[in-house]
Amino acid sequence: MPTIICKTGKIPPKPPQKLTRGAQRREAILDSALRIICSEGIQNLTTRKAAEGAGITEGALYRHFSGKGEMLRCLVERLAEGSRIEKDGSTGWAGIEAFLRVRVKRVIREPELAKILFSEFMFTNEPACEDLMFQLMHRNLEELSVYFEQAQKAGELRDDIPPKTLFRLIFGPIRLVIQQWGLTEGSFPLEEEADRIIQTLKSILKSP
Amino acid sequence: MPTIICKTGKIPPKPPQKLTRGAQRREAILDSALRIICSEGIQNLTTRKAAEGAGITEGALYRHFSGKGEMLRCLVERLAEGSRIEKDGSTGWAGIEAFLRVRVKRVIREPELAKILFSEFMFTNEPACEDLMFQLMHRNLEELSVYFEQAQKAGELRDDIPPKTLFRLIFGPIRLVIQQWGLTEGSFPLEEEADRIIQTLKSILKSP
Amino acid sequence: MPTIICKTGKIPPKPPQKLTRGAQRREAILDSALRIICSEGIQNLTTRKAAEGAGITEGALYRHFSGKGEMLRCLVERLAEGSRIEKDGSTGWAGIEAFLRVRVKRVIREPELAKILFSEFMFTNEPACEDLMFQLMHRNLEELSVYFEQAQKAGELRDDIPPKTLFRLIFGPIRLVIQQWGLTEGSFPLEEEADRIIQTLKSILKSP
Amino acid sequence: MPTIICKTGKIPPKPPQKLTRGAQRREAILDSALRIICSEGIQNLTTRKAAEGAGITEGALYRHFSGKGEMLRCLVERLAEGSRIEKDGSTGWAGIEAFLRVRVKRVIREPELAKILFSEFMFTNEPACEDLMFQLMHRNLEELSVYFEQAQKAGELRDDIPPKTLFRLIFGPIRLVIQQWGLTEGSFPLEEEADRIIQTLKSILKSP
DNA sequence: AATGAATGAGTTTTCATTCAT
DNA sequence: GATGAATGAAAACTCATTCAT
């Protein structure tokens, strides 16, 4: 239901679909929970803090989520969907670049994300989040694999490296630079550094 | 068993000095804590579980650590030291390869490490662990930078990429493959996949 | 029942404003804490006992007080206010007598008070209670000093003794008799003995 | 055995009887316990603190006392004996004055005592200390009563006041001034103020 | 929808005491 | 005599969750 393929190739900044008042509160709670995880760690996320950060009391939180577990699952879901939405129509190497840049731009827009977007293990122990994390990782591999094939057919990418290895060679550096940026609270120009990585990857991975 | 005798004939880093009984208990507690973090997440690590896993009662834990915080800090410290010890005398590209392989071998030897070794953010919120994580990351960059320069001088590595970018291009993929291996509970042959990455890196990064 | 209507026709200090349900619980908890201190000593006052004495669980206590410290501070505050309320309009030596009799009557009404009302030091070590004890002692001195001056002007009290000394000569014996009565669990007729002291003081301190 | 009547009327500053090494440690522990009670309150006295203050470990404390209870009982005993030792041979009103001055001098010598010497209730809840406190109070009454009779026979003290009331009139003010001095950490010249009280008492209580 | 009081189980930590060394 | 590790109980406080209002 949330997968919106944009045929025009543009990124709709905000889906025009208005949130009901109830859904707005849910979002506020999830925002609050995310903020707490990023600033205090998942081990310090409590229902009380999440509720208070959203301007309601602990008890009221249970009107919106069946419990802490569901809240976390929804948070991870939202996290996972986030990057998928903004796909444009690029293909081949341009598709790869778009995939990477979407993630970079997302953490620049929401800097707290830098800290947790690739901390998959953190959610691994929350029952019902584990599967989601796997799916997310797998979806990324699948999406990129499509681009790999296109790029290889188009002669933009050498074809002697298996897709899984390509995935690690290409996504690994971007993940690391985003994690470093988050860890150091944005101490360097992320977009620039990411660009350098992407350009270098393009040049060293091009068909010889 | 982990004590690797340096090829150069220098003093082995860990003198055979036996651990005092007290220090042995500390290690047992840290082992227990590490096991819990890996299997249940940091949010489920309690002093009680850590103590019981080491075969003592909760109260006794406080003979060995001033509290949960100190225990965690010591754990992170031990984690950070772990990979540094096993340096051999390699230089240039061989040094880079050794650096990466040491880490791969370490997680194969202690598979739980795969889950947390690169989850720096997890400890970011524990006061006094944050600095340690920074240092660790920085130390890695410095160590690799030395090899980069040697390799570039030896004509094994192209010299048109700044060290920070090289660091991300080379360490990023290995981090990712280790994280994937941990996340999937060792579902693929890590050493083989790491090798593929290393070989590919060597070939695509060599001086043109 | 303790609300004494002022003879001057002024507003009775405590308006009949009913306590909110929340405030009622606070009072119940403070009552319980006071009972425990008196019967088992401050060293045996625990949050659990205080809560159970008020008919709630330990955790619920924290809805009403931020912690044990705040609870104790509130208790001391209530203690300190207690005797101040019941001032009547007497002046001169009658004022002095009223001051002393109010305290005697209060401990007869609430016999546990006899044990702690003048155990200022007991609360001295509870941060934020210390100041309160000072204020209480000082307030007593100031109130009595007014009566001293009136009595001296009226020729009821010799005027060759400084107020601080008068304070000790007059209040000291009453404090002691109340402490003795509390210590011996009411083994003698307090009012009678207090009267004897007051009468004797009146006679030996009258203007020669 | 400890009651030493000095016929010469002098106060032997320290009994020449040497303490065995064992007894020395006991004293050191009691000193430490007293210091803690005075500075942190009885509710914060722990075996560990008492032991550490005496320079030994918790476990070693049990070589000297059977437990915390016995330690406290011994402390109270020592407290109670303290003032009794230093009796000189005075009689009549001089005896009364000596009784009061001995106590004043003692707290000047050991200022922490000011805080607890008359906080009888504090120890009332320590099993096996309660009786001791009663005895102490009673002994004081008996000792003073002897002097009262002598003074009345000698015409130094009016004889129309029962001894119990005299006890309160005379001891009450001194207790209060000592408590005030302790509470305010020695903010005024105790000896001077005590003197003023004693002189005033002498003058207002003399046979008319 | 929301509040605030309540609960029961859990958290970290401390305590008095014991005991092998 | 003394130490240091250990224990079991209890301390203060927090947490996820429920429910009457």
Side-chain angles (χ1 to χ4, degrees), chain D residues 154-193:
Chain D
E156 300 166 324
L157 180 63
R158 49 194 305 165
D159 57 5
D160 57 347
I161 307 172
K164 277 189 183 166
T165 307
L166 270 178
F167 177 79
R168 288 161 191 151
L169 287 172
I170 290 174
F171 201 25
I174 289 293
R175 283 171 58 106
L176 176 49
V177 79
I178 288 177
Q179 283 179 305
Q180 287 180 321
W181 190 72
L183 224 51
T184 61
E185 311 273 346
S187 70
F188 58 85
L190 172 58
E191 201 152 19
E192 209 172 289
E193 293 292 329

Coordinates of all heavy atoms in Angstrom, one line a residue, chain D residues 154-193:
Chain D
A154 N 21.5 23.3 102.7 CA 22.5 24.4 102.9 C 21.9 25.8 102.6 O 22.6 26.8 102.7 CB 23.7 24.2 102.0
G155 N 20.6 25.8 102.3 CA 19.9 27.1 102.1 C 20.3 27.7 100.8 O 20.0 28.9 100.5
E156 N 20.9 26.9 99.8 CA 21.2 27.5 98.5 C 20.1 27.3 97.5 O 20.2 27.9 96.4 CB 22.5 26.8 98.0 CG 23.7 26.9 98.9 CD 24.8 25.9 98.4 OE1 24.4 24.8 98.0 OE2 26.0 26.2 98.5
L157 N 19.1 26.6 97.8 CA 18.1 26.2 96.8 C 16.7 26.1 97.5 O 16.6 25.5 98.5 CB 18.5 24.8 96.2 CG 17.6 24.2 95.1 CD1 17.6 25.1 93.9 CD2 18.1 22.8 94.8
R158 N 15.8 26.8 96.9 CA 14.4 26.8 97.5 C 13.9 25.3 97.6 O 14.2 24.5 96.7 CB 13.5 27.7 96.7 CG 13.4 27.5 95.2 CD 12.7 28.7 94.5 NE 11.4 28.8 95.1 CZ 10.6 29.9 94.9 NH1 11.1 30.9 94.2 NH2 9.4 30.0 95.4
D159 N 13.1 25.1 98.6 CA 12.7 23.7 98.8 C 11.3 23.4 98.5 O 10.7 22.5 99.0 CB 13.1 23.2 100.2 CG 12.5 24.2 101.3 OD1 11.7 25.1 100.9 OD2 12.8 24.0 102.4
D160 N 10.6 24.3 97.8 CA 9.2 24.1 97.5 C 9.0 23.6 96.1 O 7.9 23.6 95.6 CB 8.4 25.5 97.7 CG 9.0 26.6 96.8 OD1 10.1 26.4 96.2 OD2 8.4 27.6 96.6
I161 N 10.0 23.0 95.5 CA 9.8 22.5 94.1 C 10.3 21.0 94.1 O 11.4 20.7 94.6 CB 10.7 23.2 93.1 CG1 10.4 24.8 93.2 CG2 10.5 22.7 91.7 CD1 11.4 25.6 92.3
P162 N 9.4 20.1 93.7 CA 9.8 18.7 93.7 C 11.0 18.4 92.8 O 11.2 19.1 91.8 CB 8.5 18.0 93.1 CG 7.7 19.0 92.5 CD 8.1 20.3 93.1
P163 N 11.8 17.4 93.2 CA 13.1 17.2 92.5 C 12.9 17.0 91.0 O 13.7 17.5 90.2 CB 13.6 15.9 93.1 CG 12.8 15.6 94.3 CD 11.6 16.5 94.3
K164 N 11.9 16.3 90.6 CA 11.7 16.0 89.1 C 11.5 17.3 88.4 O 12.0 17.5 87.3 CB 10.5 15.1 88.9 CG 10.8 13.7 89.1 CD 9.6 12.8 88.6 CE 10.0 11.3 88.9 NZ 8.7 10.5 88.7
T165 N 10.8 18.3 89.0 CA 10.6 19.5 88.4 C 11.9 20.3 88.4 O 12.2 21.0 87.4 CB 9.4 20.3 89.1 OG1 8.3 19.5 89.2 CG2 9.1 21.6 88.3
L166 N 12.6 20.3 89.5 CA 13.9 21.0 89.5 C 14.8 20.4 88.4 O 15.5 21.2 87.8 CB 14.5 20.7 90.9 CG 14.2 21.7 92.0 CD1 14.9 21.3 93.3 CD2 14.7 23.1 91.6
F167 N 14.8 19.1 88.3 CA 15.6 18.5 87.3 C 15.3 19.1 85.9 O 16.2 19.4 85.2 CB 15.3 17.0 87.3 CG 16.1 16.2 86.2 CD1 17.4 15.9 86.4 CD2 15.4 15.8 85.1 CE1 18.1 15.1 85.5 CE2 16.1 15.0 84.1 CZ 17.5 14.7 84.3
R168 N 14.0 19.2 85.6 CA 13.7 19.7 84.3 C 14.0 21.2 84.2 O 14.5 21.6 83.1 CB 12.2 19.5 84.1 CG 11.9 18.0 83.8 CD 10.4 17.7 84.0 NE 10.2 16.3 84.1 CZ 9.2 15.7 84.7 NH1 8.3 16.4 85.4 NH2 9.1 14.3 84.7
L169 N 13.8 21.9 85.2 CA 14.1 23.4 85.2 C 15.6 23.7 85.0 O 16.0 24.6 84.4 CB 13.6 24.1 86.5 CG 12.1 24.2 86.6 CD1 11.7 24.7 88.0 CD2 11.6 25.2 85.5
I170 N 16.4 22.8 85.6 CA 17.8 23.0 85.6 C 18.5 22.4 84.4 O 19.4 23.0 83.7 CB 18.4 22.5 86.9 CG1 18.0 23.5 88.0 CG2 20.0 22.5 86.8 CD1 18.4 23.0 89.4
F171 N 18.2 21.1 84.1 CA 18.9 20.4 83.1 C 18.3 20.8 81.7 O 19.0 20.8 80.7 CB 18.7 18.9 83.3 CG 19.8 18.0 82.6 CD1 21.0 18.6 82.3 CD2 19.5 16.7 82.3 CE1 22.0 17.8 81.6 CE2 20.5 15.9 81.7 CZ 21.7 16.5 81.3
G172 N 17.0 21.1 81.6 CA 16.3 21.4 80.4 C 17.0 22.5 79.6 O 17.4 22.4 78.5
P173 N 17.3 23.7 80.3 CA 17.9 24.8 79.6 C 19.3 24.4 79.1 O 19.7 24.8 78.0 CB 18.0 25.9 80.6 CG 16.8 25.6 81.5 CD 16.7 24.1 81.6
I174 N 20.1 23.7 79.9 CA 21.5 23.3 79.5 C 21.4 22.3 78.3 O 22.2 22.5 77.3 CB 22.2 22.7 80.6 CG1 22.6 23.7 81.7 CG2 23.5 22.0 80.2 CD1 23.6 24.8 81.2
R175 N 20.5 21.4 78.3 CA 20.3 20.5 77.2 C 20.0 21.3 75.9 O 20.6 21.1 74.9 CB 19.2 19.5 77.4 CG 19.5 18.4 78.4 CD 18.3 17.6 78.7 NE 17.6 17.0 77.6 CZ 17.6 15.7 77.2 NH1 18.3 14.9 77.9 NH2 17.0 15.3 76.2
L176 N 19.1 22.2 76.1 CA 18.7 23.0 74.9 C 19.8 23.8 74.3 O 20.1 23.9 73.1 CB 17.5 23.9 75.3 CG 17.0 24.9 74.2 CD1 16.8 24.1 72.9 CD2 15.7 25.6 74.6
V177 N 20.6 24.5 75.2 CA 21.7 25.3 74.7 C 22.7 24.5 74.0 O 23.3 24.8 73.0 CB 22.3 26.2 75.8 CG1 23.2 25.5 76.7 CG2 23.0 27.4 75.2
I178 N 23.0 23.3 74.6 CA 23.9 22.4 73.9 C 23.4 21.9 72.6 O 24.1 21.9 71.6 CB 24.3 21.2 74.8 CG1 25.1 21.7 76.0 CG2 25.0 20.1 74.1 CD1 25.5 20.6 77.0
Q179 N 22.1 21.6 72.5 CA 21.6 21.1 71.2 C 21.6 22.3 70.2 O 21.9 22.0 69.0 CB 20.1 20.7 71.5 CG 20.0 19.3 72.1 CD 18.6 18.9 72.3 OE1 17.8 19.6 73.0 NE2 18.2 17.7 71.8
Q180 N 21.3 23.5 70.6 CA 21.4 24.6 69.7 C 22.8 24.8 69.2 O 23.0 25.0 68.0 CB 20.9 25.9 70.4 CG 19.4 26.0 70.6 CD 19.0 27.3 71.3 OE1 19.7 27.7 72.2 NE2 17.9 27.8 70.9
W181 N 23.7 24.7 70.1 CA 25.1 24.8 69.7 C 25.5 23.8 68.7 O 26.2 24.1 67.7 CB 26.0 24.8 71.0 CG 27.4 25.1 70.8 CD1 27.9 26.4 70.6 CD2 28.6 24.3 70.8 NE1 29.3 26.4 70.5 CE2 29.7 25.1 70.6 CE3 28.7 22.9 71.0 CZ2 31.0 24.6 70.6 CZ3 30.0 22.4 70.9 CH2 31.1 23.2 70.8
G182 N 25.1 22.6 68.9 CA 25.4 21.5 68.0 C 24.7 21.7 66.6 O 25.3 21.5 65.5
L183 N 23.5 22.1 66.7 CA 22.7 22.3 65.5 C 23.3 23.4 64.6 O 23.2 23.3 63.4 CB 21.2 22.7 65.9 CG 20.1 22.0 65.1 CD1 20.3 20.5 65.1 CD2 18.8 22.4 65.7
T184 N 23.8 24.4 65.2 CA 24.3 25.5 64.5 C 25.9 25.4 64.3 O 26.5 26.4 63.9 CB 24.0 26.9 65.2 OG1 24.7 26.8 66.5 CG2 22.5 27.1 65.3
E185 N 26.4 24.2 64.5 CA 27.8 24.0 64.3 C 28.7 25.0 65.1 O 29.6 25.5 64.6 CB 28.2 24.0 62.8 CG 27.3 23.2 62.0 CD 27.7 21.7 61.9 OE1 28.9 21.4 62.3 OE2 26.9 20.9 61.4
G186 N 28.3 25.2 66.4 CA 29.1 26.0 67.2 C 29.1 27.5 66.9 O 30.2 28.1 66.9
S187 N 28.0 28.0 66.6 CA 27.9 29.4 66.1 C 28.0 30.5 67.2 O 28.0 31.6 66.9 CB 26.7 29.6 65.3 OG 25.5 29.6 66.1
F188 N 28.0 30.0 68.4 CA 28.1 31.0 69.5 C 29.0 30.4 70.6 O 29.2 29.2 70.7 CB 26.7 31.4 70.1 CG 25.9 30.2 70.6 CD1 26.0 29.7 71.9 CD2 25.0 29.5 69.7 CE1 25.3 28.6 72.3 CE2 24.2 28.4 70.2 CZ 24.4 28.0 71.5
P189 N 29.4 31.3 71.6 CA 30.3 30.8 72.6 C 29.5 30.0 73.6 O 28.8 30.6 74.5 CB 30.9 32.1 73.2 CG 29.9 33.1 72.9 CD 29.3 32.7 71.6
L190 N 29.6 28.7 73.6 CA 28.8 27.8 74.4 C 29.0 28.1 75.9 O 28.1 28.2 76.7 CB 29.0 26.4 74.0 CG 28.3 25.3 74.9 CD1 26.8 25.6 75.0 CD2 28.6 23.9 74.5
E191 N 30.3 28.1 76.2 CA 30.6 28.1 77.7 C 30.0 29.4 78.3 O 29.4 29.4 79.4 CB 32.1 28.1 77.9 CG 32.5 27.7 79.3 CD 33.9 27.0 79.3 OE1 34.7 27.2 78.4 OE2 34.1 26.3 80.3
E192 N 30.1 30.5 77.6 CA 29.6 31.8 78.1 C 28.1 31.7 78.2 O 27.5 32.1 79.3 CB 29.9 32.8 77.0 CG 30.1 34.2 77.5 CD 30.6 35.1 76.3 OE1 31.8 34.9 75.9 OE2 29.8 35.9 75.8
E193 N 27.4 31.2 77.2 CA 25.9 31.1 77.3 C 25.5 30.2 78.4 O 24.5 30.4 79.0 CB 25.4 30.7 75.9 CG 25.6 31.7 74.8 CD 24.7 33.0 75.0 OE1 23.6 32.9 75.6 OE2 25.2 34.1 74.6

